[in-house]
Amino acid sequence: MTEPRRLRGHKATATCCIASRDRSGVVATAGEDGCVCLFDMRCKDAQHIAEVAQEPISSLSFKPGNEDIMYVSSGNAVKCFDLHNMASPWTPFKSYSYNKEEINQISCNSKAAFLACTDDGGDVKIIDIRQHCLYKTLRSGHSSICSSVQFIPWRSWEVITGGLDSKLVMWDFSKGRPVKIVDFGLPDIKNGSNGAQCLNPAFVHAIAVPDVDMLDKSDKICVVARGDGIVDVINIESELAVIRSKTSAKARKGSSSTSKDGVPAAGTGTLDENARKRLHLDYSVGGHAAAVSCVTFSLFGEKGKLIISGGNDKSVKVWDCSKYDDAVQTGGNSDVLRLNINLSKKVNWLCTTPTDSENLVVCDTTKVVKVYSVS
């Protein structure tokens, strides 16, 4: 691996980054300095540097279909910026402060209708960004910090969240209730308990869901970055099918499990219930030796074919998602790891760009953002 390109502009640690899908080579980064930096990979220096917050920035999101609009979270607020208006200082044209606690991640759905915001209190706020109002609050799914959120693009009214309670929750946000809960803190019977892997709790630090145009390569999966060093690959449709079949079976017996409002309760259970549809990428197959902090899909090459994960073990792993079905069926994960990149610092966040080179952007615990070429 050649030396990475270095992007300079932040005065403190870079916390997150996003890449444009519409403008090849355009990347936005944010940091603890409250600044957003815009880079064009065709140019040497940052195109724009703007201080947009007094507190560290936790997350960024472009508006799908109109990437001139950027959402920036800092503290308990989300600010909306029009990148056409590059006057200094940047002034938000809209701001949302529905979260009571500090926001950890924001995500915009593919139709650019809703924005999800997770916070330290475990709540998830769903904001209607067309009507500029709070649509729904999702709570009681997480008992601790809600760290991550992604909409499911092929399911218009469903969203997935992960938390530091070791839970992955699939929600019907139109009804404000969970439809499936995966608890990684429960015993993993099929894969056994490995003492070395379990020194750290299985907190969910980040999740990734493929875009619709990636499904032919990735299938309808969710990738989970866990605190115990495991990258879990879960088939969303298989998980939901189990819930539907259990509900149908109980209904036929006349004893359907219901919640207080009379609707089917969200499914939970030990991790081996659907283990045949789950792939565990741990250190035994070349995975991370410490907490995994972030995961994403490749925008370059065949979109969605590769999963990229970064961790506190100062490494980035590139996994071949196209081998997912083979690995699940054979029970062997050894061919899934495609590339390992050793770094000098822990990884805060990473993203990919739709270019043939300089296509992996890594924010580590320094103020300098690194860019690698992965083929």
Side-chain angles (χ1 to χ4, degrees), residues 244-315:
R244 290 192 295 267
S245 64
K246 285 184 177 180
T247 302
S248 298
K250 288 180 180 179
R252 287 194 297 271
K253 293 179 181 178
S255 59
S256 177
S257 175
T258 58
S259 60
K260 292 181 180 179
D261 58 0
V263 300
T268 58
T270 58
L271 282 184
D272 68 323
E273 279 185 352
N274 306 301
R276 64 185 182 85
K277 290 294 185 181
R278 297 183 186 172
L279 189 61
H280 301 263
L281 304 174
D282 61 18
Y283 72 96
S284 68
V285 292
H288 294 279
V292 188
S293 55
C294 50
V295 285
T296 191
F297 287 92
S298 57
L299 289 177
F300 53 83
E302 298 177 81
K303 289 181 181 178
K305 181 180 179 180
L306 304 178
I307 295 169
I308 297 94
S309 60
N312 289 352
D313 57 353
K314 304 176 185 178
S315 74

Side-chain angles (χ1 to χ4, degrees), residues 52 68-72 79-83 90-93:
V52 300
D68 287 330
I69 304 300
M70 179 189 291
Y71 300 97
V72 180
K79 297 178 181 179
C80 317
F81 296 93
D82 186 344
L83 300 185
W90 286 10
T91 303
F93 68 87

Side-chain angles (χ1 to χ4, degrees), residues 208-210 214-223 231-234 279 281 296-298 302-308 317-328 335-338:
V209 175
M214 298 178 178
L215 294 182
D216 61 331
K217 296 298 178 185
S218 67
D219 207 354
K220 295 178 178 179
I221 60 177
C222 176
V223 184
V231 175
D232 253 333
V233 183
I234 295 177
L279 189 61
L281 304 174
T296 191
F297 287 92
S298 57
E302 298 177 81
K303 289 181 181 178
K305 181 180 179 180
L306 304 178
I307 295 169
I308 297 94
K317 311 286 184 180
V318 179
W319 309 91
D320 191 340
C321 197
S322 67
K323 298 183 182 296
Y324 167 75
D325 287 335
D326 292 339
V328 169
D335 295 332
V336 181
L337 182 62
R338 179 164 168 173

Side-chain angles (χ1 to χ4, degrees), residues 44-60:
K44 180 181 178 182
D45 301 316
Q47 301 299 290
H48 298 279
I49 301 175
E51 185 176 344
V52 300
Q54 298 299 311
E55 299 178 80
I57 295 171
S58 57
S59 187
L60 299 170

Side-chain angles (χ1 to χ4, degrees), residues 21-248:
R21 291 179 63 106
D22 298 339
R23 300 183 180 95
S24 182
V26 172
V27 173
T29 65
E32 292 182 353
D33 54 3
C35 289
V36 172
C37 298
L38 288 178
F39 297 93
D40 186 330
M41 293 301 168
R42 297 169 298 181
C43 306
K44 180 181 178 182
D45 301 316
Q47 301 299 290
H48 298 279
I49 301 175
E51 185 176 344
V52 300
Q54 298 299 311
E55 299 178 80
I57 295 171
S58 57
S59 187
L60 299 170
S61 179
F62 284 123
K63 183 177 183 179
N66 181 12
E67 292 188 347
D68 287 330
I69 304 300
M70 179 189 291
Y71 300 97
V72 180
S73 65
S74 178
N76 68 338
V78 178
K79 297 178 181 179
C80 317
F81 296 93
D82 186 344
L83 300 185
H84 269 193
N85 180 17
M86 292 297 190
S88 184
W90 286 10
T91 303
F93 68 87
K94 197 72 182 177
S95 183
Y96 306 116
S97 298
Y98 297 115
N99 293 79
K100 294 181 180 180
E101 304 287 342
E102 185 173 329
I103 295 171
N104 292 303
Q105 188 178 23
I106 57 176
S107 179
C108 194
N109 77 332
S110 58
K111 296 182 179 179
F114 297 102
L115 185 75
C117 313
T118 68
D119 66 29
D120 279 358
D123 287 353
V124 185
K125 301 292 183 180
I126 307 294
I127 301 170
D128 185 329
I129 53 179
R130 292 174 178 170
Q131 300 297 322
H132 301 294
C133 63
L134 180 64
Y135 176 78
K136 197 79 71 174
T137 297
L138 310 180
R139 57 167 53 102
S140 300
H142 293 285
S143 58
S144 183
I145 292 170
C146 187
S147 59
S148 48
V149 61
Q150 293 291 318
F151 286 94
I152 305 178
W154 60 91
R155 288 180 168 269
S156 299
W157 296 100
E158 294 187 19
V159 69
I160 301 182
T161 59
L164 301 195
D165 53 1
S166 302
K167 290 180 181 178
L168 184 75
V169 183
M170 303 180 195
W171 303 82
D172 179 339
F173 68 85
S174 68
K175 299 175 182 177
R177 68 187 185 208
V179 295
K180 171 72 179 181
I181 300 173
V182 179
D183 189 346
F184 294 112
L186 294 175
D188 188 348
I189 296 173
K190 180 177 183 294
N191 289 276
S193 295
N194 189 305
Q197 197 76 48
C198 295
L199 286 176
N200 294 320
F203 295 159
V204 178
H205 289 297
I207 57 178
V209 175
D211 295 327
V212 171
D213 61 359
M214 298 178 178
L215 294 182
D216 61 331
K217 296 298 178 185
S218 67
D219 207 354
K220 295 178 178 179
I221 60 177
C222 176
V223 184
V224 184
R226 290 169 41 170
D228 56 0
I230 295 176
V231 175
D232 253 333
V233 183
I234 295 177
N235 188 297
I236 293 172
E237 296 306 308
S238 295
E239 300 289 332
L240 296 176
V242 170
I243 295 299
R244 290 192 295 267
S245 64
K246 285 184 177 180
T247 302
S248 298

